[in-house]
Amino acid sequence: LRVTIKDIAKKADVSANTVSRALNDRGEISEETKQKVLRIAKELGYIPNSLARGLVSRRTKTIGVTVGDNRNPYFAGIVKAIEDAARERGYNIILCNTDEDYDKEKEIIRLLREKMVDGLLITPVDRKGEDIRELRRINFPFVLISRYIDGLKTDYVVNDNVTGAYLAVKCLIEKGHRRIGHIAGPSPISAGTDRFKGYEKALDESGIEYDESLVIWNNVKIEDGQRSMEELLKMDDRPTAAFTFSDYVALGALRAIHDAKLKIPDDIALVGYDDVEFSPFLEVPLTTVHQPRVRIGEMATEILIDKIEGKSSGGTHQVILQPELVIRSSC
Amino acid sequence: LRVTIKDIAKKADVSANTVSRALNDRGEISEETKQKVLRIAKELGYIPNSLARGLVSRRTKTIGVTVGDNRNPYFAGIVKAIEDAARERGYNIILCNTDEDYDKEKEIIRLLREKMVDGLLITPVDRKGEDIRELRRINFPFVLISRYIDGLKTDYVVNDNVTGAYLAVKCLIEKGHRRIGHIAGPSPISAGTDRFKGYEKALDESGIEYDESLVIWNNVKIEDGQRSMEELLKMDDRPTAAFTFSDYVALGALRAIHDAKLKIPDDIALVGYDDVEFSPFLEVPLTTVHQPRVRIGEMATEILIDKIEGKSSGGTHQVILQPELVIRSSC
DNA sequence: CTGTTAGCGCATTCAG
DNA sequence: CTGAATGCGCTAACAG
């Protein structure tokens, strides 16, 4: 079916090896035969077979990428940056969604290793991350994105979620809010607990007592945000403000607020996290915490590929970017 | 380095072949040796090598996916649906962004064929699509998504863009608008010209003369939408309404309108296309045309994998879904 | 400068 | 029921 170097060899009346040399422009070969082989290869519409090549070179030039859900514009931006950076260096990406499910993540990583990806870019779904620790143990190349694993000394590119959340909630407090809800992320995710810590810290610093009933965990999807905000709103002593785990989740919160015919920020103030594309354009422009998605994706990719190709400067790369509060009208 | 069936064979004191049989649960093999092999494989932490397997089976269980830009929520939704459906059937996806560039698309398709993907899910960037025609010619499995190639009888899943756009513009006309701008997509893309046709048709039907200066082509990114809307707004006889190629592009238009301190829909009405996640939550909820992204992604994936696995019911699958106008407050 | 040999890891003949 | 041989397409090592 597909034309191989053997076919070219036959037609060019040389050995398969010579064809290989011509195509890869490697080893000694006369300009004449090289040109001849190249010409015939083109005539025959030759396309190399990466499987065969990878089998011997032990390189596939593809990296695995796992994110929670590529529809979340935060992840979408990172994935785009990764894909651009990877292709720039000759790599493709296999994209997988974990849906923030640990078993799924484990399965995905196993599958990606079967496919012999050269490395992994992972947004781990669990701070414990036994699967990730295993990767570390066997020295498989990977870089964590946006989240880390407790006590694991490994490469990652994250942002300072504690500080980011702290800034967000402090902004709310400065506007006079004392009862502030938190529509939190999943607690197994480092970004979830870190943003919660920032929330706690801001309250604590202002002498506001922490009220457990104001924190609803495990919000990842839009519907999660809606349900949680509905819950917050039907409290007897409902909060006057809320900090959501992400802008994406805030979309659901927005719907709940809208359905309850409440006004932002007068009835309830809102602050998100991530600063995604749509955030400035919402019904009321969303105050949020900015993260440089392009840089995050690019850096993680560069670190990973350098490591794969042995160009790593040694040592572990632990990048912690400083987030930035973007104040708009929702608070 | 990595443990192979040979390693297992040695330890289990059987031939490599027997190991292969045990692992794949195929061929005759005694329950006893099978269990033994399986146990040892697990002990050694064996992970099969898909490259080797693919080299002989001529199957990689991975499909290539190209979209314009995975950050556009429309594509993001489709990609998520594809990934889910593909994994359900044991496939992974290699995701590539074309940035709506034909040369990039060509290069991507070549690369994906090198990687021996079993099939391709493509959002082609050009109605002429010589590269796609070539795929058809050699009978390589692929399904087009959201767009088609002129006169090419091949599988695709699209929506009726002419009708969708027609409905959108008619809605504007019914509100009394006569000068309606069109922030159009790229003209080489079938969806771009088809939505333009729908626009023209609606005008024509209402006896509104077509004014070329009201149509600005080639809008794909948010900034494109902004620039084009700015252009529309600074016209002497500026339009009182506009129809944008996509909701994503409408985001940019929104910024331009906002910067010009104009009100929607009073100063200028707006209608988009796609009905993405954020559309109901914008400053003024966006009237738009709904497309079922999950179904589109799922169907395309099913059709492709059926074809790959020879389960195709024969004939070409040309699915044209009917779009639905979703009226909100922007018009 | 070029051809021959061997092997990457696995699955598929075919013998036994 | 199991083992030995062969080959997928390509590259690397060694001859010539």
PDB file of all heavy atoms in Angstrom, chain B residues 7-28:
ATOM      1  N   ASP B   7      11.494  -9.990  28.114  1.00  0.00           N
ATOM      2  CA  ASP B   7      11.853 -10.036  29.535  1.00  0.00           C
ATOM      3  C   ASP B   7      10.876 -10.928  30.293  1.00  0.00           C
ATOM      4  O   ASP B   7      11.265 -11.741  31.120  1.00  0.00           O
ATOM      5  CB  ASP B   7      11.832  -8.630  30.140  1.00  0.00           C
ATOM      6  CG  ASP B   7      12.798  -7.701  29.425  1.00  0.00           C
ATOM      7  OD1 ASP B   7      13.885  -8.170  29.033  1.00  0.00           O
ATOM      8  OD2 ASP B   7      12.450  -6.515  29.235  1.00  0.00           O
ATOM      9  N   ILE B   8       9.611 -10.737  29.976  1.00  0.00           N
ATOM     10  CA  ILE B   8       8.588 -11.552  30.627  1.00  0.00           C
ATOM     11  C   ILE B   8       8.792 -13.011  30.268  1.00  0.00           C
ATOM     12  O   ILE B   8       8.737 -13.901  31.117  1.00  0.00           O
ATOM     13  CB  ILE B   8       7.182 -11.097  30.182  1.00  0.00           C
ATOM     14  CG1 ILE B   8       6.974  -9.618  30.522  1.00  0.00           C
ATOM     15  CG2 ILE B   8       6.117 -11.949  30.866  1.00  0.00           C
ATOM     16  CD1 ILE B   8       5.652  -9.072  30.057  1.00  0.00           C
ATOM     17  N   ALA B   9       9.062 -13.245  28.982  1.00  0.00           N
ATOM     18  CA  ALA B   9       9.260 -14.612  28.498  1.00  0.00           C
ATOM     19  C   ALA B   9      10.372 -15.307  29.272  1.00  0.00           C
ATOM     20  O   ALA B   9      10.217 -16.431  29.750  1.00  0.00           O
ATOM     21  CB  ALA B   9       9.586 -14.576  27.011  1.00  0.00           C
ATOM     22  N   LYS B  10      11.488 -14.611  29.401  1.00  0.00           N
ATOM     23  CA  LYS B  10      12.630 -15.185  30.097  1.00  0.00           C
ATOM     24  C   LYS B  10      12.234 -15.575  31.525  1.00  0.00           C
ATOM     25  O   LYS B  10      12.436 -16.707  31.959  1.00  0.00           O
ATOM     26  CB  LYS B  10      13.773 -14.167  30.121  1.00  0.00           C
ATOM     27  CG  LYS B  10      15.149 -14.808  30.301  1.00  0.00           C
ATOM     28  CD  LYS B  10      16.246 -13.780  30.070  1.00  0.00           C
ATOM     29  CE  LYS B  10      16.272 -13.292  28.624  1.00  0.00           C
ATOM     30  NZ  LYS B  10      17.218 -12.189  28.408  1.00  0.00           N
ATOM     31  N   LYS B  11      11.650 -14.626  32.215  1.00  0.00           N
ATOM     32  CA  LYS B  11      11.300 -14.849  33.615  1.00  0.00           C
ATOM     33  C   LYS B  11      10.253 -15.955  33.779  1.00  0.00           C
ATOM     34  O   LYS B  11      10.256 -16.703  34.756  1.00  0.00           O
ATOM     35  CB  LYS B  11      10.762 -13.554  34.227  1.00  0.00           C
ATOM     36  CG  LYS B  11      10.777 -13.567  35.754  1.00  0.00           C
ATOM     37  CD  LYS B  11      11.172 -12.208  36.278  1.00  0.00           C
ATOM     38  CE  LYS B  11      11.341 -12.205  37.780  1.00  0.00           C
ATOM     39  NZ  LYS B  11      11.850 -10.896  38.256  1.00  0.00           N
ATOM     40  N   ALA B  12       9.360 -16.033  32.807  1.00  0.00           N
ATOM     41  CA  ALA B  12       8.293 -17.033  32.915  1.00  0.00           C
ATOM     42  C   ALA B  12       8.722 -18.363  32.306  1.00  0.00           C
ATOM     43  O   ALA B  12       7.980 -19.344  32.371  1.00  0.00           O
ATOM     44  CB  ALA B  12       7.042 -16.518  32.219  1.00  0.00           C
ATOM     45  N   ASP B  13       9.862 -18.330  31.704  1.00  0.00           N
ATOM     46  CA  ASP B  13      10.398 -19.535  31.088  1.00  0.00           C
ATOM     47  C   ASP B  13       9.470 -20.078  29.996  1.00  0.00           C
ATOM     48  O   ASP B  13       9.163 -21.266  29.952  1.00  0.00           O
ATOM     49  CB  ASP B  13      10.648 -20.610  32.157  1.00  0.00           C
ATOM     50  CG  ASP B  13      11.658 -21.633  31.662  1.00  0.00           C
ATOM     51  OD1 ASP B  13      12.592 -21.228  30.940  1.00  0.00           O
ATOM     52  OD2 ASP B  13      11.486 -22.829  31.974  1.00  0.00           O
ATOM     53  N   VAL B  14       9.007 -19.147  29.178  1.00  0.00           N
ATOM     54  CA  VAL B  14       8.201 -19.528  28.015  1.00  0.00           C
ATOM     55  C   VAL B  14       8.730 -18.717  26.833  1.00  0.00           C
ATOM     56  O   VAL B  14       9.654 -17.921  26.988  1.00  0.00           O
ATOM     57  CB  VAL B  14       6.705 -19.203  28.218  1.00  0.00           C
ATOM     58  CG1 VAL B  14       6.116 -20.058  29.319  1.00  0.00           C
ATOM     59  CG2 VAL B  14       6.519 -17.724  28.499  1.00  0.00           C
ATOM     60  N   SER B  15       8.157 -18.905  25.677  1.00  0.00           N
ATOM     61  CA  SER B  15       8.612 -18.127  24.526  1.00  0.00           C
ATOM     62  C   SER B  15       7.906 -16.770  24.489  1.00  0.00           C
ATOM     63  O   SER B  15       6.845 -16.588  25.084  1.00  0.00           O
ATOM     64  CB  SER B  15       8.296 -18.874  23.240  1.00  0.00           C
ATOM     65  OG  SER B  15       6.911 -18.816  22.978  1.00  0.00           O
ATOM     66  N   ALA B  16       8.504 -15.862  23.786  1.00  0.00           N
ATOM     67  CA  ALA B  16       7.922 -14.527  23.656  1.00  0.00           C
ATOM     68  C   ALA B  16       6.517 -14.636  23.071  1.00  0.00           C
ATOM     69  O   ALA B  16       5.606 -13.905  23.456  1.00  0.00           O
ATOM     70  CB  ALA B  16       8.801 -13.665  22.766  1.00  0.00           C
ATOM     71  N   ASN B  17       6.390 -15.544  22.171  1.00  0.00           N
ATOM     72  CA  ASN B  17       5.109 -15.764  21.518  1.00  0.00           C
ATOM     73  C   ASN B  17       4.019 -16.093  22.541  1.00  0.00           C
ATOM     74  O   ASN B  17       2.920 -15.535  22.503  1.00  0.00           O
ATOM     75  CB  ASN B  17       5.253 -16.913  20.533  1.00  0.00           C
ATOM     76  CG  ASN B  17       4.027 -17.043  19.682  1.00  0.00           C
ATOM     77  OD1 ASN B  17       2.957 -16.597  20.074  1.00  0.00           O
ATOM     78  ND2 ASN B  17       4.175 -17.640  18.516  1.00  0.00           N
ATOM     79  N   THR B  18       4.327 -16.994  23.428  1.00  0.00           N
ATOM     80  CA  THR B  18       3.359 -17.376  24.452  1.00  0.00           C
ATOM     81  C   THR B  18       2.949 -16.166  25.293  1.00  0.00           C
ATOM     82  O   THR B  18       1.784 -15.990  25.638  1.00  0.00           O
ATOM     83  CB  THR B  18       3.964 -18.456  25.368  1.00  0.00           C
ATOM     84  OG1 THR B  18       4.342 -19.566  24.559  1.00  0.00           O
ATOM     85  CG2 THR B  18       2.969 -18.885  26.412  1.00  0.00           C
ATOM     86  N   VAL B  19       3.914 -15.337  25.580  1.00  0.00           N
ATOM     87  CA  VAL B  19       3.613 -14.121  26.333  1.00  0.00           C
ATOM     88  C   VAL B  19       2.612 -13.277  25.558  1.00  0.00           C
ATOM     89  O   VAL B  19       1.608 -12.812  26.097  1.00  0.00           O
ATOM     90  CB  VAL B  19       4.893 -13.306  26.590  1.00  0.00           C
ATOM     91  CG1 VAL B  19       4.547 -11.989  27.245  1.00  0.00           C
ATOM     92  CG2 VAL B  19       5.861 -14.094  27.444  1.00  0.00           C
ATOM     93  N   SER B  20       2.900 -13.105  24.293  1.00  0.00           N
ATOM     94  CA  SER B  20       2.016 -12.319  23.445  1.00  0.00           C
ATOM     95  C   SER B  20       0.595 -12.881  23.490  1.00  0.00           C
ATOM     96  O   SER B  20      -0.378 -12.141  23.634  1.00  0.00           O
ATOM     97  CB  SER B  20       2.547 -12.339  22.011  1.00  0.00           C
ATOM     98  OG  SER B  20       1.649 -11.698  21.143  1.00  0.00           O
ATOM     99  N   ARG B  21       0.500 -14.182  23.405  1.00  0.00           N
ATOM    100  CA  ARG B  21      -0.825 -14.811  23.439  1.00  0.00           C
ATOM    101  C   ARG B  21      -1.529 -14.562  24.766  1.00  0.00           C
ATOM    102  O   ARG B  21      -2.724 -14.277  24.813  1.00  0.00           O
ATOM    103  CB  ARG B  21      -0.689 -16.308  23.191  1.00  0.00           C
ATOM    104  CG  ARG B  21      -0.631 -16.641  21.718  1.00  0.00           C
ATOM    105  CD  ARG B  21      -0.749 -18.124  21.496  1.00  0.00           C
ATOM    106  NE  ARG B  21       0.499 -18.797  21.845  1.00  0.00           N
ATOM    107  CZ  ARG B  21       1.256 -19.445  20.959  1.00  0.00           C
ATOM    108  NH1 ARG B  21       0.891 -19.519  19.705  1.00  0.00           N
ATOM    109  NH2 ARG B  21       2.368 -20.029  21.323  1.00  0.00           N
ATOM    110  N   ALA B  22      -0.769 -14.672  25.831  1.00  0.00           N
ATOM    111  CA  ALA B  22      -1.361 -14.474  27.154  1.00  0.00           C
ATOM    112  C   ALA B  22      -1.871 -13.045  27.304  1.00  0.00           C
ATOM    113  O   ALA B  22      -2.999 -12.800  27.732  1.00  0.00           O
ATOM    114  CB  ALA B  22      -0.339 -14.778  28.233  1.00  0.00           C
ATOM    115  N   LEU B  23      -1.046 -12.119  26.905  1.00  0.00           N
ATOM    116  CA  LEU B  23      -1.394 -10.711  27.080  1.00  0.00           C
ATOM    117  C   LEU B  23      -2.593 -10.315  26.235  1.00  0.00           C
ATOM    118  O   LEU B  23      -3.413  -9.498  26.647  1.00  0.00           O
ATOM    119  CB  LEU B  23      -0.200  -9.831  26.720  1.00  0.00           C
ATOM    120  CG  LEU B  23       1.005  -9.934  27.662  1.00  0.00           C
ATOM    121  CD1 LEU B  23       2.191  -9.190  27.087  1.00  0.00           C
ATOM    122  CD2 LEU B  23       0.634  -9.380  29.028  1.00  0.00           C
ATOM    123  N   ASN B  24      -2.671 -10.877  25.058  1.00  0.00           N
ATOM    124  CA  ASN B  24      -3.763 -10.486  24.171  1.00  0.00           C
ATOM    125  C   ASN B  24      -4.956 -11.426  24.274  1.00  0.00           C
ATOM    126  O   ASN B  24      -5.928 -11.255  23.557  1.00  0.00           O
ATOM    127  CB  ASN B  24      -3.266 -10.431  22.737  1.00  0.00           C
ATOM    128  CG  ASN B  24      -2.195  -9.386  22.550  1.00  0.00           C
ATOM    129  OD1 ASN B  24      -2.440  -8.204  22.738  1.00  0.00           O
ATOM    130  ND2 ASN B  24      -0.993  -9.827  22.223  1.00  0.00           N
ATOM    131  N   ASP B  25      -4.815 -12.409  25.152  1.00  0.00           N
ATOM    132  CA  ASP B  25      -5.914 -13.330  25.377  1.00  0.00           C
ATOM    133  C   ASP B  25      -6.424 -13.904  24.054  1.00  0.00           C
ATOM    134  O   ASP B  25      -7.619 -13.946  23.795  1.00  0.00           O
ATOM    135  CB  ASP B  25      -7.052 -12.607  26.113  1.00  0.00           C
ATOM    136  CG  ASP B  25      -7.935 -13.610  26.839  1.00  0.00           C
ATOM    137  OD1 ASP B  25      -7.513 -14.760  26.999  1.00  0.00           O
ATOM    138  OD2 ASP B  25      -9.051 -13.230  27.229  1.00  0.00           O
ATOM    139  N   ARG B  26      -5.474 -14.312  23.249  1.00  0.00           N
ATOM    140  CA  ARG B  26      -5.837 -14.773  21.912  1.00  0.00           C
ATOM    141  C   ARG B  26      -5.100 -16.089  21.628  1.00  0.00           C
ATOM    142  O   ARG B  26      -4.036 -16.354  22.185  1.00  0.00           O
ATOM    143  CB  ARG B  26      -5.426 -13.707  20.887  1.00  0.00           C
ATOM    144  CG  ARG B  26      -5.757 -14.041  19.472  1.00  0.00           C
ATOM    145  CD  ARG B  26      -5.372 -12.896  18.521  1.00  0.00           C
ATOM    146  NE  ARG B  26      -4.456 -11.901  19.071  1.00  0.00           N
ATOM    147  CZ  ARG B  26      -3.187 -12.137  19.360  1.00  0.00           C
ATOM    148  NH1 ARG B  26      -2.672 -13.310  19.160  1.00  0.00           N
ATOM    149  NH2 ARG B  26      -2.418 -11.178  19.834  1.00  0.00           N
ATOM    150  N   GLY B  27      -5.632 -16.896  20.808  1.00  0.00           N
ATOM    151  CA  GLY B  27      -4.997 -18.162  20.484  1.00  0.00           C
ATOM    152  C   GLY B  27      -5.133 -19.133  21.638  1.00  0.00           C
ATOM    153  O   GLY B  27      -5.561 -18.778  22.731  1.00  0.00           O
ATOM    154  N   GLU B  28      -4.775 -20.370  21.393  1.00  0.00           N
ATOM    155  CA  GLU B  28      -4.895 -21.375  22.447  1.00  0.00           C
ATOM    156  C   GLU B  28      -3.758 -21.192  23.440  1.00  0.00           C
ATOM    157  O   GLU B  28      -2.619 -21.004  23.072  1.00  0.00           O
ATOM    158  CB  GLU B  28      -4.826 -22.784  21.853  1.00  0.00           C
ATOM    159  CG  GLU B  28      -4.814 -22.812  20.344  1.00  0.00           C
ATOM    160  CD  GLU B  28      -6.189 -23.110  19.779  1.00  0.00           C
ATOM    161  OE1 GLU B  28      -6.996 -22.150  19.608  1.00  0.00           O
ATOM    162  OE2 GLU B  28      -6.456 -24.285  19.532  1.00  0.00           O
TER     163      GLU B  28
END
